Amino acid sequence: LMNAYQTIGKPEECTHYLDSLVARPTPFLRKYCYRDLLCVAAYAKSRTEDMVMAERMMKKSLSMPLVFPSHDRLFRDYANAAAVFFPNPVAQDSVVSYCVKAINEADKSGNVSGKQYVYSMLGLMYKRMGRLKDAVDLMGESVSEAYRRNDMTGVVNGYNDLSELMIYWNLPQMAEDFANKGISIVDSLTKTSYKANPMIVSMVYERKGEALLLMGKSDSAMYYWSKAEGYVKELPYNSGMVDLDVIRGELLSKSDSKDSIARARQMLERVVHKATPHNRAKAYYHLATISEKEGDSSLCEQHLDSMYNILNMAESPTYIYGAYEFALSHYLKKGDDKGIRRFSEAFLGEMSNDKDLANSKEATKIVSSFYTEQKNMELQLLAEKVHKQRLYLVIAILFLMALVMVNVYGRREYNLRRRLADETMNILLHDHLATIDSLEQERKKATLMREELDRIKTEVRQRPDYDAISLLDLAERGNEENFILRFNVIYPSFMSNLRQRVPNIGKREVLFCMLIVMEKDTEQISTLMAVAPRSVNMLRWRLRKKFGLNPDDSLEEAIKSLI
């Protein structure tokens, strides 16, 4: 029942019905199937973006005993758990564990539906974690698994994931190729009585448009996005329409036409009011670019503040490519010290966590290898198809005609292999050169930004009153925050190095270490921290233990080595 609701795009109605069963289960359900019901209801609720309640229900489900356990039911529980926790950035390891357990249960059962979906989820998680080869292998296996089960919806979904991965690595030609494969299957199936899942069909057209946009074909991209809208416009907003509003709003925001800018603003404001957090952050970023273009600096900064708060509200910050770089450039032009400090730290954090540039060459190599394997698989499928046709013909025609057909087939296969090999080499060479060029441009931009940040920090250090002002702020009640901000501008890597060396360090101990870096003695530290000298000595004693120092080791040198 849940799958049927999902296929016709009515997740809210599904959740309403399952919630009524959870609230008032029959005696049979409560005794034998209540864990099953909670698991399915949690997955259904996650499809309506109610993630807090979905995670809570799933945790409760997994904590209950499973009556009459089987490999099929355990597969369903682990697969649903992976799907529920998949959007949570701090649950990546748990999602990988659930996916692996689900695949193991599927292999033991041999009779489950949805194995391809788990392969796809695990591949996307590996992509998010930077495990490039694992991501490509898993997504390729998801397509093969769907083919083996004759699950054409699963095949289309697998090609969607592969196309998204190519877009992520800026390989638009390959992204378009996989999107075209998905569209071809959808077109062939719609000529029959097959009812396609509207969200999956919309996604394959959306990926095609994104690939075309990367190739500079914006008009063609808009055409395919309009086709995608036809499938999801009647569904709940977060079931596909939100993604179209974000990508079209971004494209139109770069236009010089007032009408296009107005349309972009309308789409992006709809995202801000209706979408889930990460898409809202994207919308705020693009609205900020519009406001800066129109000269409204105040509104631009309001949007940037909203974006920053959303991206940093979780335990692990998330990033939007280009957003922090844009914000930092804005505040540099304005000369706003507070904005520069805030977004320079955010941008440096993004650069230190961004593995895309470092992985570009490896991605090209892995994808090239995978792409060749996919071509070989298609050749094998074609060979098997022709082989079956030949067997049918052998029954109906003379032995001599069979020999002729074998000869024709051999020449056809040889020509096809040669043509595909030539096409593959041309495509890979073109995309490889484009990737190298893009990588070089990104490195130049990063170098210029680092030089600008170094210049700002040098100017700050050269201000003769800077140290005095910082200490004055510290001496005044409640101004430790201003001192810490100034300290981090001068020594941007000290805090992260300190916490890495001493993970359990306390707030007062951090402040003590900062004052040691600034060459303050025990008496000065006692005055600035408003504590007795013996308390300062106690801080020294505790820190020596946390640093793991020997009696002859210098605490001051250990602290200053982290600068």
Side-chain angles (χ1 to χ4, degrees):
L1 179 64
M2 181 193 70
N3 287 338
Y5 270 122
Q6 299 293 334
T7 301
I8 61 177
K10 295 183 177 180
E12 281 80 9
E13 293 183 25
C14 175
T15 299
H16 178 73
Y17 176 73
L18 293 176
D19 282 349
S20 70
L21 293 181
V22 170
R24 293 179 295 279
T26 64
F28 183 92
L29 279 176
R30 177 168 290 283
K31 183 174 181 179
Y32 295 108
C33 310
Y34 197 64
R35 166 172 163 150
D36 310 72
L37 176 61
L38 280 177
C39 178
V40 174
Y43 175 85
K45 197 169 288 292
S46 72
R47 300 302 90 187
T48 64
E49 307 299 331
D50 188 357
M51 303 312 300
V52 173
M53 184 58 68
E55 290 187 8
R56 189 178 302 165
M57 291 178 70
M58 183 57 70
K59 288 177 181 177
K60 182 178 179 181
S61 168
L62 295 178
S63 69
M64 298 175 65
L66 181 61
V67 182
F68 304 126
S70 67
H71 297 304
D72 303 49
R73 297 171 79 188
L74 287 170
F75 166 80
R76 176 211 57 211
D77 289 357
Y78 292 135
N80 285 359
V84 167
F85 292 101
F86 185 86
N88 190 336
V90 299
Q92 292 183 351
D93 292 337
S94 297
V95 173
V96 170
S97 176
Y98 287 135
C99 286
V100 171
K101 289 180 180 178
I103 291 171
N104 289 337
E105 295 298 333
D107 291 338
K108 294 175 184 176
S109 168
N111 185 37
V112 297
S113 175
K115 186 177 178 182
Q116 178 273 335
Y117 177 65
V118 177
Y119 274 124
S120 177
M121 260 198 302
L122 186 54
L124 290 172
M125 184 56 65
Y126 283 155
K127 181 201 83 170
R128 188 182 296 174
M129 298 170 73
R131 296 169 61 174
L132 309 183
K133 190 175 188 308
D134 291 338
V136 174
D137 290 345
L138 260 296
M139 290 182 183
E141 182 59 27
S142 76
V143 174
S144 301
E145 173 67 15
Y147 266 123
R148 285 193 289 269
R149 299 183 64 86
N150 198 30
D151 175 10
M152 290 300 103
T153 298
V155 173
V156 175
N157 200 39
Y159 282 136
N160 274 336
D161 294 335
L162 284 165
S163 181
E164 181 185 5
L165 194 62
M166 300 306 108
I167 291 168
Y168 181 78
W169 285 329
N170 197 27
L171 300 172
Q173 187 64 56
M174 293 182 183
E176 185 189 23
D177 190 12
F178 285 123
N180 285 338
K181 292 177 186 294
I183 291 172
S184 176
I185 293 173
V186 169
D187 290 343
S188 64
L189 292 175
T190 51
K191 296 176 183 177
T192 66
S193 58
Y194 174 79
K195 174 71 173 177
N197 185 309
M199 288 182 287
I200 293 178
V201 177
S202 170
M203 196 177 299
V204 77
Y205 286 116
E206 181 183 332
R207 297 288 175 266
K208 169 85 171 181
E210 289 182 81
L212 291 170
L213 182 63
L214 286 175
M215 291 187 282
K217 303 175 182 178
S218 56
D219 290 339
S220 299
M222 278 293 191
Y223 167 77
Y224 281 99
W225 291 337
S226 297
K227 293 194 69 169
E229 181 180 0
Y231 285 91
V232 295
K233 62 182 179 182
E234 301 299 328
L235 301 183
Y237 185 70
N238 282 294
S239 294
M241 194 64 196
V242 60
D243 296 319
L244 294 171
D245 276 351
V246 170
I247 56 179
R248 289 187 298 186
E250 178 185 3
L251 178 59
L252 292 172
S253 69
K254 298 174 182 177
S255 172
D256 294 326
S257 165
K258 291 184 178 180
D259 291 338
S260 296
I261 293 293
R263 287 176 59 201
R265 190 185 296 278
Q266 182 182 18
M267 292 176 179
L268 295 170
E269 287 179 349
R270 188 160 55 211
V271 175
V272 164
H273 289 99
K274 294 185 177 182
T276 50
H278 193 68
N279 277 325
R280 282 171 38 225
K282 288 183 180 178
Y284 277 125
Y285 163 45
H286 298 309
L287 285 169
T289 64
I290 293 174
S291 298
E292 185 182 67
K293 182 186 294 186
E294 294 176 343
D296 192 341
S297 179
S298 176
L299 185 57
C300 172
E301 291 166 13
Q302 289 179 30
H303 292 321
L304 290 176
D305 285 341
S306 298
M307 176 198 75
Y308 180 90
N309 291 333
I310 292 173
L311 293 178
N312 289 273
M313 66 182 180
E315 293 181 13
S316 299
T318 54
Y319 303 102
I320 297 171
Y321 181 76
Y324 283 150
E325 182 179 358
F326 166 79
L328 182 55
S329 298
H330 170 82
Y331 284 108
L332 283 170
K333 286 187 287 187
K334 189 177 178 183
D336 185 325
D337 289 343
K338 182 179 179 181
I340 291 171
R341 284 199 302 271
R342 183 187 209 187
F343 286 100
S344 64
E345 291 176 1
F347 180 61
L348 288 171
E350 179 184 7
M351 293 195 337
S352 64
N353 284 280
D354 185 8
K355 300 177 180 177
D356 291 348
L357 290 178
N359 288 335
S360 291
K361 288 185 178 179
E362 184 185 355
T364 304
K365 179 181 177 181
I366 292 171
V367 172
S368 298
S369 173
F370 171 77
Y371 199 80
T372 303
E373 292 172 4
Q374 285 289 302
K375 292 294 184 183
N376 289 335
M377 184 186 74
E378 292 171 14
L379 282 171
Q380 184 179 355
L381 291 173
L382 176 61
E384 291 173 0
K385 182 178 180 181
V386 175
H387 181 65
K388 290 179 181 179
Q389 293 175 348
R390 189 181 68 188
L391 289 177
Y392 296 144
L393 289 173
V394 167
I395 298 173
I397 64 176
L398 299 174
F399 181 71
L400 182 60
M401 288 296 296
L403 292 177
V404 172
M405 288 300 298
V406 170
N407 187 41
V408 171
Y409 162 72
R411 289 199 303 270
R412 178 183 177 188
E413 184 180 29
Y414 171 77
N415 292 332
L416 181 59
R417 284 182 181 276
R418 187 176 63 182
R419 188 172 74 251
L420 288 177
D422 290 342
E423 290 177 357
T424 301
M425 287 300 296
N426 289 335
I427 291 171
L428 294 181
L429 180 60
H430 175 270
D431 287 334
H432 178 72
L433 293 174
T435 300
I436 296 301
D437 182 62
S438 174
L439 176 63
E440 188 61 29
Q441 292 178 7
E442 292 295 335
R443 283 179 178 155
K444 289 180 180 178
K445 288 174 63 179
T447 299
L448 291 174
M449 189 61 68
R450 287 193 185 96
E451 290 175 353
E452 180 66 12
L453 290 174
D454 289 340
R455 183 187 65 77
I456 293 172
K457 289 190 287 186
T458 300
E459 290 180 359
V460 170
R461 291 193 186 101
Q462 291 173 350
R463 286 168 50 182
D465 61 337
Y466 194 84
D467 183 59
I469 295 174
S470 299
L471 295 176
L472 182 61
D473 284 336
L474 178 62
E476 294 177 4
R477 192 180 191 87
N479 277 340
E480 287 185 12
E481 183 178 352
N482 291 337
F483 168 71
I484 293 172
L485 284 173
R486 290 187 172 92
F487 184 92
N488 285 334
V489 171
I490 301 176
Y491 306 105
S493 60
F494 178 77
M495 289 289 287
S496 60
N497 292 340
L498 178 61
R499 293 191 184 281
Q500 185 176 2
R501 175 72 185 274
V502 188
N504 62 337
I505 192 167
K507 181 179 178 183
R508 302 295 288 172
E509 293 166 343
V510 170
L511 190 57
F512 173 84
C513 290
M514 289 179 175
L515 293 172
I516 290 296
V517 169
M518 298 186 72
E519 305 288 350
K520 304 306 172 186
D521 58 26
T522 299
E523 183 178 350
Q524 291 172 314
I525 294 173
S526 171
T527 301
L528 291 169
M529 295 182 67
V531 297
R534 64 175 178 274
S535 298
V536 177
N537 292 330
M538 182 62 68
L539 276 174
R540 287 180 181 275
W541 180 79
R542 288 204 303 267
L543 279 169
R544 291 186 65 87
K545 289 189 65 178
K546 291 185 178 182
F547 269 85
L549 299 179
N550 296 320
D552 296 335
D553 293 337
S554 169
L555 176 62
E556 283 77 3
E557 291 180 3
I559 293 172
K560 293 176 182 178
S561 69
L562 302 177
I563 296 176

